[in-house]
Amino acid sequence: MARTWLSIRVELVSGRGIHLWPRPGRVFAASRSHTFAQLADAIDLAFARWDLAHMHMFSLADQTQITPLELWDGEAPEGSTDSGRTKLSRLGGGEQFAYVFDFGDDWAHLCTVAESRIDPLEMLGGLPAEPMPYFGWGDLPDQYGRRWDGDDGESQPPKPPRRPLADLPPLLPWWGPRQRGQ
């Protein structure tokens, strides 16, 4: 098992017309037998996507496009391959490719396969059934740009309370209203 899995660095480049800098990112451990669809699911979860009812596409350096063909109703880009059947084994060390989620908001990612493979037992402590992030950084934007519950995109954010934890139930010692004499 030693040094048989891919390490794939994924950086969020842009989405919703905004270019992100510094770019938030995650590094994934992935078996060469995992599919591109499994990698897409792992990326979407690791980048805090909660509305998963959008399509995706990987674009490789050789112009190959990998996407869920069944969702295109026969209108998939010519020459594209199915992400549910195409294995990550087609990727080589140092290879770069793009991943786009949601063709309306175009969440675009740069993906880079590390030159050397990793040992999943050493890196993760086990063999996960799906690709798994094992390192990450950066602030993740909300999928729809919402900054708070009820954000309509035009209103000013609510003012923070004077005592920011006082409205919480006292489930933790520092939550809730303070008792007199404390």
Side-chain angles (χ1 to χ4, degrees), residues 106-128:
D106 291 322
W107 291 103
H109 308 74
L110 171 63
C111 307
T112 306
V113 180
E115 289 289 346
S116 54
R117 297 202 180 137
I118 61 169
D119 179 347
L121 297 175
E122 178 183 307
M123 196 62 65
L124 307 170
L127 295 174

Side-chain angles (χ1 to χ4, degrees), residues 10-25 47 49 105-110 137-143 145:
V10 179
E11 297 173 80
L12 179 56
V13 175
S14 61
R16 301 185 60 248
I18 300 166
H19 297 282
L20 299 158
W21 190 261
R23 296 179 183 133
F47 281 88
R49 310 242 161 78
D105 286 335
D106 291 322
W107 291 103
H109 308 74
L110 171 63
W137 61 91
D139 294 330
L140 299 176
D142 179 73
Q143 180 175 348

Side-chain angles (χ1 to χ4, degrees), residues 41-125:
D41 290 344
I43 292 170
D44 294 338
L45 291 173
F47 281 88
R49 310 242 161 78
W50 48 269
D51 180 357
L52 301 175
H54 296 281
M55 292 180 51
H56 67 259
M57 182 178 293
F58 291 93
S59 297
L60 305 186
D62 67 2
Q63 304 304 308
T64 299
Q65 294 180 318
I66 303 170
T67 187
L69 295 180
E70 74 277 2
L71 299 179
W72 285 89
D73 295 327
E75 301 292 323
E78 187 175 332
S80 58
T81 62
D82 187 23
S83 61
R85 297 168 107 142
T86 307
K87 306 279 186 196
L88 298 179
S89 59
R90 75 174 293 154
L91 297 172
E95 188 169 348
Q96 291 189 305
F97 56 100
Y99 171 67
V100 175
F101 169 79
D102 184 350
F103 299 155
D105 286 335
D106 291 322
W107 291 103
H109 308 74
L110 171 63
C111 307
T112 306
V113 180
E115 289 289 346
S116 54
R117 297 202 180 137
I118 61 169
D119 179 347
L121 297 175
E122 178 183 307
M123 196 62 65
L124 307 170

